[in-house]
Amino acid sequence: MGIPKILILGAGYGGLMTAVRLEKILNYNEAEVTLVNKHEYHYFTTWLHEPAAGTKDPDKCRVGLDQILDMNKTQFIKGTVTSIDKEAQKVTLENGEDLSYDYLVIGLGSEPETFGIEGLRNHAFSISNINAVREIREHIEYNFARYNQEKSSDLVTIVVGGAGFTGVEFVGELTDRIPELCKEFDVDPSVVKIYSVEAAPTVLPGFDPELVNYAMEVLTRKGVTFKINTPIKECTPEGVVLADGEAIKSNTVVWTGGVRGNAIIEQAGFETMRGRVKVDEFLHAPGHDNVFVVGDGALIINEEINRPYPPTAQIAIQQGNNLGDNIVATIRGAKLTPFKPSLKGTVASLGKGEAIGLVGSKKIFGTTAAIMKKVVDNRSLFLIGGLSLVMKKAKL
Ligand code: FAD
Ligand code: NAD
């Protein structure tokens, strides 16, 4: 029998952190580790609202995997996973290549949850990866460029569907970018409209009401029009239709209405809720001691409130770390350590110099929160790529 083969799918926060941890603790020739990812880089999903709005260069939000991993220890395959056959212990890539495994780590992240809303898939953008955000930025710029010739207000009306953290962070960035765009393309700022549409009675549903009010005040002052308690019912080439019948004409609809686990997991026959697998305390997929799920694809329950933990990078990184240890423990026949999230808090940006956050039970606002947001972002760089990644990409 050869050495065990560990196959990791996805180099996001969960998958990459697992690979980083394995590199640190596996002995020479103890296992063969292969990482498959669509791109030869890792992108910082948590920063993507910035390049989407055009306030940051997309290149600043990614790093080559060869700069994080030791390619002598981790074999990297650039490829797109199309299916997982858990019975045959085999993964198939888009180019037809089959990869076998003894241990499988599924870290394929999430995809937009459209709730079956008509037209969203075809007519709305989503903030989901580097290529997707490049498209959003270019599209907005092109529409501003067209405005003076065509004078249609749809070209400078942006609708953001869903005011969870992604939607709120994105509109915050947009409000910073619009003055620049207006200057560059000679557009009168008063014709530009940014709508944040939310189905729930409040933006950031479930978050601290005082912080929510603060966020709404800041963003309203910066030019955002909120439409709350009004779900988007349909998305068309002309814009969106809300549940109350109102139609907002817009050439740019960005859907930030939530996420579900990567469809590949469901297609592989795992039982899922919103595409996420309810894993056990060691991140095993039920009934499969050699298949683990990390990050947005893994559903774990917060027993204190009997609800799933939200899919976050914070938890994905912690899971990757724990999983690296547990895979090695499995190989060595040692005791596994149950995964328990250690939540540090939530900080959300509202654009340059403004943010809100809950750190432990302490509420933070404005500049303090904006500084804390940079600390949080830089901390995740450190956890993934150590000081050298912080030196290359840190937010100052
Ligand atoms: P990801 O980081 O999304 O990585 C998935 C990887 O799998 C990617 O590299 C992708 O290319 C690869 N992949 C996908 N499909 C395939 C395939 N078929 N074949 C091969 N490779 C594939 N969370 C926080 O904790 N704090 C924040 O401040 C925060 N801010 C956010 C801001 C935005 C704009 C967004 C969109 C999310 C934010 N989140 C935040 C949530 C966080 O980004 C996710 O929970 C986290 O990225 C999940 O990590 P993951 O490893 O599961 O997936
Ligand atoms: P989400 O599920 O948190 O928010 C989606 C929002 O869209 C909800 O408020 C929901 O009510 C709304 N919505 C759903 N259907 C709608 C409809 N038809 N019309 C209008 N609104 C509708 O999703 P997200 O914001 O993409 O966040 C995904 C995950 O990433 C979450 O776990 C979040 O905590 C995390 N995240 C964290 C941060 C941060 O910590 N700073 C930033 C971004 C994302």
Side-chain angles (χ1 to χ4, degrees):
M1 214 181 94
I3 58 173
K5 287 184 187 171
I6 304 169
L7 179 59
I8 304 172
L9 310 181
Y13 294 97
L16 182 55
M17 197 63 221
T18 309
V20 166
R21 187 70 192 146
L22 286 172
E23 279 194 356
K24 285 202 180 109
I25 57 175
L26 272 173
N27 292 328
Y28 178 70
N29 254 352
E30 197 177 11
E32 180 189 303
V33 182
T34 304
L35 171 67
V36 182
N37 194 52
K38 262 189 192 171
H39 317 281
E40 61 274 279
Y41 56 82
H42 162 78
Y43 50 80
F44 316 139
T45 311
T46 59
W47 300 13
L48 288 181
H49 52 291
E50 299 175 55
T55 51
K56 199 180 205 65
D57 186 333
D59 264 349
K60 296 225 164 89
C61 303
R62 62 176 178 171
V63 58
L65 288 167
D66 59 352
Q67 292 180 51
I68 306 265
L69 295 170
D70 178 343
M71 297 300 184
N72 294 316
K73 290 183 173 174
T74 306
Q75 191 204 346
F76 173 64
I77 298 178
K78 182 183 171 190
T80 299
V81 176
T82 51
S83 65
I84 299 168
D85 182 338
K86 50 189 172 26
E87 273 67 46
Q89 299 195 185
K90 183 184 83 169
V91 166
T92 303
L93 306 185
E94 200 174 46
N95 65 4
E97 190 180 350
D98 285 335
L99 304 170
S100 63
Y101 61 81
D102 297 300
Y103 299 98
L104 180 68
V105 175
I106 306 176
L108 294 171
S110 56
E111 54 190 46
E113 169 65 278
T114 59
F115 303 106
I117 297 169
E118 207 179 311
L120 273 181
R121 281 197 188 283
N122 292 334
H123 307 301
F125 295 95
S126 68
I127 302 176
S128 42
N129 56 53
I130 290 284
N131 290 323
V133 301
R134 280 186 181 131
E135 223 180 307
I136 298 173
R137 188 181 72 161
E138 296 284 326
H139 174 87
I140 293 174
E141 286 180 6
Y142 178 54
N143 279 276
F144 270 69
R146 284 170 63 190
Y147 180 75
N148 274 327
Q149 295 280 52
E150 302 176 36
K151 290 283 186 265
S152 162
S153 60
D154 314 6
L155 296 169
V156 289
T157 300
I158 300 169
V159 174
V160 181
F165 285 108
T166 303
V168 163
E169 291 200 317
F170 179 54
V171 293
E173 291 305 309
L174 276 178
T175 58
D176 289 340
R177 176 80 163 121
I178 296 301
E180 245 178 57
L181 284 172
C182 287
K183 205 162 165 213
E184 185 176 351
F185 296 104
D186 302 318
V187 173
D188 174 357
S190 70
V191 299
V192 178
K193 297 273 179 293
I194 302 170
Y195 288 100
S196 170
V197 183
E198 169 56 48
T202 164
V203 308
L204 301 174
F207 202 51
D208 179 89
E210 194 187 353
L211 295 172
V212 170
N213 283 340
Y214 181 85
M216 283 186 76
E217 266 172 43
V218 168
L219 293 171
T220 305
R221 189 168 11 94
K222 288 172 94 176
V224 177
T225 303
F226 286 99
K227 299 244 172 213
I228 52 175
N229 227 352
T230 51
I232 289 179
K233 186 176 82 176
E234 193 187 344
C235 185
T236 68
E238 283 76 45
V240 293
V241 181
L242 310 186
D244 61 8
E246 182 186 355
I248 305 175
K249 292 189 79 189
S250 164
N251 223 26
T252 311
V253 178
V254 179
W255 177 245
T256 55
V259 294
R260 56 183 291 116
N262 193 310
I264 289 170
I265 301 182
E266 212 162 12
Q267 286 154 9
F270 293 103
E271 199 181 310
T272 60
M273 281 164 71
R274 273 181 76 167
R276 303 172 77 191
V277 179
K278 191 162 176 237
V279 291
D280 70 9
E281 77 254 57
F282 306 116
L283 308 180
H284 291 123
H288 295 272
D289 279 356
N290 64 339
V291 179
F292 304 86
V293 189
V294 269
D296 284 2
L299 181 92
I300 48 172
I301 302 290
N302 182 345
E303 304 291 354
E304 281 166 28
I305 51 171
N306 199 25
R307 287 183 57 186
Y309 281 99
T312 64
Q314 186 180 167
I315 291 180
I317 290 172
Q318 292 176 14
Q319 287 177 331
N321 223 353
N322 166 275
L323 183 51
D325 288 345
N326 277 344
I327 293 176
V328 173
T330 307
I331 291 170
R332 291 178 187 164
K335 197 166 174 283
L336 308 192
T337 313
F339 174 72
K340 183 123 188 55
S342 157
L343 299 185
K344 313 285 181 222
T346 301
V347 189
S349 149
L350 306 172
K352 199 166 193 298
E354 277 289 1
I356 48 168
L358 206 50
V359 181
S361 59
K362 192 171 161 37
K363 297 176 200 180
I364 50 173
F365 306 82
T367 318
T368 311
I371 292 169
M372 182 55 83
K373 178 71 182 151
K374 287 186 184 175
V375 172
V376 171
D377 286 348
N378 293 339
R379 182 172 180 270
S380 53
L381 292 178
F382 179 75
L383 292 173
I384 284 194
L387 212 50
S388 78
L389 186 60
V390 177
M391 302 290 276
K392 280 184 204 126
K393 301 283 179 178
K395 287 188 176 175
L396 303 171

